[in-house]
Structure formats: structure tokens, C-alpha cells
Amino acid sequence: MTDLYASRTNSTAAIMARNEDVVWNDGNYADALSAGQLNAYRRDGFLLIENVFTPEEVAALLEEVVRMSKDESIAGMDEAITEPGSDAVRSIFKVHALNASIGRLARDPRLIHVARQILGSEVYIHQSRANLKPGFTGKEFYWHSDFETWHVEDGMPKMRALSCSVLLTDNNECNGPLMLVPGSQMQFISCVGETPGEHYKQSLKKQQYGVPDPLTLSLLVEQGGIKTMQAKAGSVVFFDCNTMHGSSSNISPWPRSNVFMVYNSVENTLEQPKYGLVPRPEYIATRSDFSALEPLDSVNSQTPF
Amino acid sequence: MTDLYASRTNSTAAIMARNEDVVWNDGNYADALSAGQLNAYRRDGFLLIENVFTPEEVAALLEEVVRMSKDESIAGMDEAITEPGSDAVRSIFKVHALNASIGRLARDPRLIHVARQILGSEVYIHQSRANLKPGFTGKEFYWHSDFETWHVEDGMPKMRALSCSVLLTDNNECNGPLMLVPGSQMQFISCVGETPGEHYKQSLKKQQYGVPDPLTLSLLVEQGGIKTMQAKAGSVVFFDCNTMHGSSSNISPWPRSNVFMVYNSVENTLEQPKYGLVPRPEYIATRSDFSALEPLDSVNSQTPF
């Protein structure tokens, strides 16, 4: 079968039209979002919803994340990624499994029903992480489509996954907020070059392969512009797995922290990686258990965290 | 005589109150700015004025700057500074002397009379440069006060100089606009550590010495916040030599270019650098000629560029 989304095959860069829906089954699988919200998501490839979590909930989550980032037993795990040239923890992977509060967050009705509705099926967590972009020294994250990596390196077949970023600090113009290219989810950017083995060890710190070329990025931005996700803590950004995104460095004193979770459809589970690549570790790409995640009962759980 | 602004003396960091005015002689030396604008500059340490130059003037200046950046004879000069890890020209120093149009820009009434009014005297160009922060790869510039460097490395006695940035491209939230800390001009931040000889060769690419410590920066930002200079091409930012500033990286496709000129009062000419440092080269700090710059006659010069 031809790979519709071939990439890194050493050819020149190419732009290919997306082959599947952005919102699956017309958004009828659940009813978390309004028609207007669904349409905006379909058009832009993302949706920012403000005030999803209360200040108390945010404070509890942030406390968990900060505590974990200072926990030496966690800093020594593969799951903990440090800043380039520093010991400061930048990301903690598989955080929904490492931490019970964040495990409940993944099943929170305010998140999981949005994912179920957009993806038109039950869902599971393909990847989760807590990100801490520290003040003063937070490094930039160059433009990329997550799906390009997940397709090539993880063997994710289709664009039927989404990311969800729960903001734990205020994101403003100065602390390197998420930048998204509206409409970019409709085009697959095939990247130049091959992927070396165990590439993920470096790419989690600094992207080098699977990088879109400047001309293609210029075209995407000419079409859609760039939107920065400036919003208060407690807001949530949902974005399609193929939406082009990145973020600038953070020299402000204000850290930028979030919990990031990737919901994948249970009808889109991983196959083998492309080009004979060895599968990435379980903490980066769930492969051992594709069973549907059970939503928390919103009525009976008074204290989700 | 005691140095009121001692820095890099290997002691701990310190915050010292500014010893002189921000606006000199009550702003009576010229009449380019209104009382409201002068008060804002005195309070904030900067002033953004929009639509100073016409699109045609901006286009002509940008063309000159881009042409110079691609001129191999200029790229080989000491005056041309490249991006870290790249051959792309990031800055061209002494650009007012290298280029006749920019030489006239330095004398343009819309700029020089503002400088004369704020500094309360005739002025000359202490330093000039064209900055090209390219799209995709533009690096961040960490927080610094220019005066700290000019005082220590150039022997500038007092805070009686200002910078003027003429925007040649639109500056927005995505392409690493100038960030300023309002009110920071009122405090001198003494930095920790010594300055190695010929430090300037590296510092023009990446600041390493004369860097304010995180705690002090946090205090300044707590007091004044951060303002980003988002404005259209043709706007001008004037800011005090001691205003804390920096900028983030630029991964957007949009380059960020400006012409940057430092006006110093003819009553504040350079002395010897501190601590026996060798004076920096003439193209970074004018030392051979402190004579007053003559304003262009605004009536008789129909085409300043």
C-alpha cells in the first residue's frame, strides 16, 4: 500500500493534501463542543478554550508538576528531559502514568469528551508530558507537525489524533507562547532527509530531522498567518496532530508550564515505524495498551485532582 | 573619584539608584516632543512613535541595508557581525559612516531633535548599526542595559545617551520584537564578574559578561512589567541608555530589521574604559571625533534618503 504521507525519503520537500477529516463523524460522537467551536477547529486546526480549570485546580496541578521536576528520582529517569546544556528538567514524559492527579486529568470530562467528539471514537493517551519552560533560559522549539514524527517514527497511520495543552501558567507575548499556523493541518509537509537511529534522544531537546523547509513554512504562513496562544492559566488549547506549531525562547522571568496530552483514536492505533526504524520507547509513544480511556464520572467525582 | 556605577568588580550584584536626570534641562533644549511624550519617556525610559517615516522612505532604507548585508566586501569587514554558527550577517556597525543614506538618517530632524531635546545638548553618534534578525533563525538577545557596557568597556561617564531604533520591518509578537522593562532606567544594575580582554568580539554575538542576575531582573519586572515594541515599519523607538531590554528568538518567516543609532551628549564624551580595559574599536564606540552632528535642514532637504 502506498504511504500517503511519505516523509524523510531523501527526496525534495513536498506539500500533500490531507486525506482525511479534521473533525470525524461530523462531531456527533459526543457533545462537548458547540457547532461554532467545531467549525473553528475544522478550519483553523486548533481551538483555545479559556477558563476551563479553576485557579485552585491549576494551583494543585502546578504544585504536582513543580514537585516532580525537583524530585531527583524523577530527574534520573529516561522520562525526564533536561534543557540543552543544563540540568533543569524541561519535560517529564508519561506524566499521566507517573502521577495520579494527572492521570485523572487525562480522564477529565472537560478534556476527554472534546477529544472523543473531534476524533469520533473512543480515545487513549498516545503521549503525555508536563512541560516546564523556565524563565530566563527557556529555549525555542522550532516549527514542526507532530503527525510527521508520529507517522514516521511511531507508525501512526492517520491524522486522527489531537494534542491538548492545559496551561498551568499565564502565557503572554513575552514567555514564548505556543505559535500555531491556522489552516496548516490541511497540508502534509513531507520533510527532506533521513532519520538516524535513536534520533528521539536528541529531538526531544532540539529538533533536527523532520524539519519543514523555510520555503514551505513561508507558504503556509502566507496562507494562514500565525496565532499565538496567549491566555491565562486554566485555559486549554486543543490542536490537530498535523497543525504546524513552534515556540520562541523565553528570556522573561515568567516560566511557561503546561500539561500536554495526546489523545489518539482507538481506531488509529500504531503500526510499525517507517523505513525499518526501531519503535521509540513506551514513554514517548504508547504501544503496549491501546484500550479506551474511561472518562471520569463528572457527577460523582467532586475533586478530580 | 568614586565610580557611582561600578560593575563587574567580582562582588555580588547590586542595585544602585540612578544619579542623573532621564530628560535633561527639563526638555527645553529643543521642541520635537510634547510635554506628554517627555513625561512618558521620563517615567518609562522609552517612547514609541509610530508612522515617523513613510513607506517609501522605509523601502529605500531597507533596500540599502539588505544590499549591504549581501555585499561580500562588507561581510568581510570587522563591522559586519554574523549570526552564531552561520555566515548570515546579523549586524553592520558604523553604518551611518558606511552608507550615505543612513548618514543622512542620523541627521534627520525627526530623530536628532528628539535626541537633542532629551539629552539637553548637542549630540553625536556614539554607535550605529543596521540589525537584520533573519526569519527562522534569528537568535535571542538576552537582557542588558547598554549603559552598563558603555560605562565599563567604553568609559562613558554618565547616563546621558539614548538609543533610537528605526523599524524597517513590521515588528509583531512573533518575530522577536524589542522588549523593554519600563522604569528600569532609574536603577543601575551592577553585574557580577570580570570582563576578559577583547570580550566585545563574542558579546556582539552572544552576551556573556555584564549580564544582570535573574533575581534582579525579576525585581525589575515585578516593578515595571515588560513592554514589547510591536509596531509597523517606519515607527521609531527611543530608549534611555540604561533601560533594561532584550529580545526573543525569531522562528517566524518574517525578518526583523532596524537601523539602530546611539546619540550621546557632547557633554558626556568617552573617558578611558574601567579596570584598565583596552578601548573597543572605533566602529563600536566612537572615540576619534566627538563633534556635534549637524541636523539636516528640514526645509531645504526634500529627499533625505
Side-chain angles (χ1 to χ4, degrees), chain A residues 12-294:
Chain A
T12 54
I15 303 183
M16 290 173 273
R18 182 188 183 109
N19 195 51
E20 50 258 40
D21 288 336
V22 177
V23 174
W24 290 69
N25 299 334
D26 288 329
N28 291 322
Y29 196 79
D31 60 357
L33 299 178
S34 69
Q37 288 174 312
L38 279 178
N39 284 337
Y41 184 90
R42 186 185 281 114
R43 179 192 67 217
D44 297 334
F46 66 87
L47 185 68
L48 169 64
I49 310 182
E50 302 188 270
N51 301 313
V52 176
F53 295 97
T54 67
E56 293 71 29
E57 290 175 313
V58 169
L61 284 167
L62 185 58
E63 196 182 318
E64 288 294 298
V65 169
V66 169
R67 190 186 54 70
M68 290 176 80
S69 75
K70 292 179 176 164
D71 182 337
E72 287 189 11
S73 70
I74 288 175
M77 296 171 74
D78 286 342
E79 282 81 348
I81 312 296
T82 54
E83 288 278 324
S86 152
D87 284 338
V89 171
R90 174 188 184 132
S91 299
I92 302 168
F93 275 75
K94 210 180 177 178
V95 68
H96 74 293
L98 291 174
N99 184 285
S101 297
I102 298 175
R104 284 193 293 279
L105 179 69
R107 299 167 57 207
D108 191 283
R110 292 165 287 186
L111 303 181
I112 193 169
H113 290 324
V114 174
R116 292 169 70 246
Q117 185 174 13
I118 289 173
L119 302 179
S121 69
E122 296 304 307
V123 297
Y124 72 97
I125 297 288
H126 168 63
Q127 182 187 96
S128 76
R129 58 182 197 260
N131 291 314
L132 297 110
K133 187 176 246 187
F136 303 114
T137 59
K139 295 293 184 294
E140 72 181 32
F141 226 102
Y142 197 69
W143 298 110
H144 62 287
S145 145
D146 290 324
F147 179 75
E148 198 274 344
T149 299
W150 299 339
H151 185 66
V152 171
E153 300 191 22
D154 298 337
M156 182 182 285
K158 294 189 177 184
M159 297 179 184
R160 195 174 177 177
L162 63 78
S163 297
C164 153
S165 175
V166 178
L167 277 49
L168 301 185
T169 55
D170 293 351
N171 280 220
N172 62 42
E173 61 196 23
C174 296
N175 65 350
L178 178 64
M179 299 194 286
L180 296 154
V181 180
S184 58
Q185 79 282 3
M186 298 311 296
Q187 290 164 312
F188 179 75
I189 310 305
S190 175
C191 300
V192 177
E194 287 178 57
T195 303
E198 301 208 318
H199 159 235
Y200 66 89
K201 286 187 182 172
Q202 286 308 313
S203 76
L204 297 178
K205 296 193 180 194
K206 195 165 188 300
Q207 195 85 7
Q208 287 174 328
Y209 298 88
V211 174
D213 68 295
L215 184 61
T216 308
L217 284 170
S218 297
L219 283 169
L220 288 178
V221 171
E222 211 167 282
Q223 290 166 7
I226 300 174
K227 290 284 181 195
T228 57
M229 297 296 103
Q230 298 180 42
K232 294 284 176 194
S235 305
V236 179
V237 185
F238 294 95
F239 60 103
D240 182 82
C241 57
N242 191 44
T243 302
M244 190 64 69
H245 62 285
S247 62
S248 295
S249 59
N250 179 17
I251 67 169
S252 86
W254 304 308
R256 192 173 73 87
S257 303
N258 59 48
V259 172
F260 182 90
M261 291 181 294
V262 180
Y263 293 97
N264 190 24
S265 167
V266 294
E267 298 172 20
N268 191 40
T269 56
L270 302 192
E271 300 171 354
Q272 286 307 300
K274 304 293 174 185
Y275 321 125
L277 286 171
V278 174
R280 301 197 296 176
E282 186 74 17
Y283 66 86
I284 298 177
T286 303
R287 195 175 279 279
S288 66
D289 182 5
F290 298 133
S291 56
L293 197 62
E294 190 183 0

Side-chain angles (χ1 to χ4, degrees), chain B residues 72-271:
Chain B
E72 287 189 9
S73 69
I74 289 174
M77 296 170 72
D78 286 342
E79 282 81 346
I81 312 296
T82 54
E83 288 278 325
S86 151
D87 285 338
V89 171
R90 174 188 186 134
S91 299
I92 304 169
F93 274 75
K94 210 180 177 178
V95 68
H96 74 293
L98 291 175
N99 183 284
S101 297
I102 298 175
R104 285 192 295 278
L105 179 69
R107 298 167 57 208
D108 190 284
R110 292 165 287 186
L111 303 181
I112 194 171
H113 289 326
V114 173
R116 292 169 69 245
Q117 184 175 15
I118 290 174
L119 302 179
S121 69
E122 296 304 307
V123 297
Y124 72 97
I125 297 287
H126 169 61
Q127 180 187 98
S128 76
R129 58 182 197 259
N131 291 314
L132 297 109
K133 185 177 246 186
F136 303 114
T137 58
K139 296 292 184 296
E140 73 181 32
F141 226 102
Y142 197 69
W143 299 110
H144 61 288
S145 145
D146 291 323
F147 179 75
E148 198 275 344
T149 299
W150 299 340
H151 185 65
V152 171
E153 299 191 22
D154 298 337
M156 183 183 284
K158 293 189 177 183
M159 296 180 186
R160 196 173 178 178
L162 63 79
S163 296
C164 153
S165 175
V166 178
L167 276 51
L168 301 186
T169 55
D170 294 351
N171 280 220
N172 61 42
E173 62 196 22
C174 297
N175 65 349
L178 178 65
M179 299 193 286
L180 297 153
V181 180
S184 59
Q185 80 281 3
M186 298 310 296
Q187 290 164 312
F188 179 75
I189 309 304
S190 175
C191 300
V192 178
E194 287 179 58
T195 302
E198 300 208 320
H199 159 236
Y200 67 90
K201 285 187 182 171
Q202 285 309 312
S203 75
L204 298 177
K205 297 193 180 194
K206 195 164 189 297
Q207 195 85 7
Q208 288 174 327
Y209 297 88
V211 174
D213 68 296
L215 184 61
T216 307
L217 284 170
S218 297
L219 284 169
L220 288 179
V221 170
E222 210 167 282
Q223 290 167 7
I226 300 174
K227 289 285 181 194
T228 57
M229 297 296 103
Q230 297 180 43
K232 294 284 177 194
S235 305
V236 179
V237 184
F238 294 94
F239 60 102
D240 182 83
C241 57
N242 191 45
T243 302
M244 191 64 69
H245 62 286
S247 61
S248 294
S249 60
N250 178 18
I251 67 169
S252 87
W254 305 308
R256 193 174 71 88
S257 303
N258 60 47
V259 172
F260 182 90
M261 292 182 293
V262 180
Y263 293 97
N264 189 24
S265 166
V266 294
E267 297 170 21
N268 191 40
T269 57
L270 302 191
E271 301 170 354

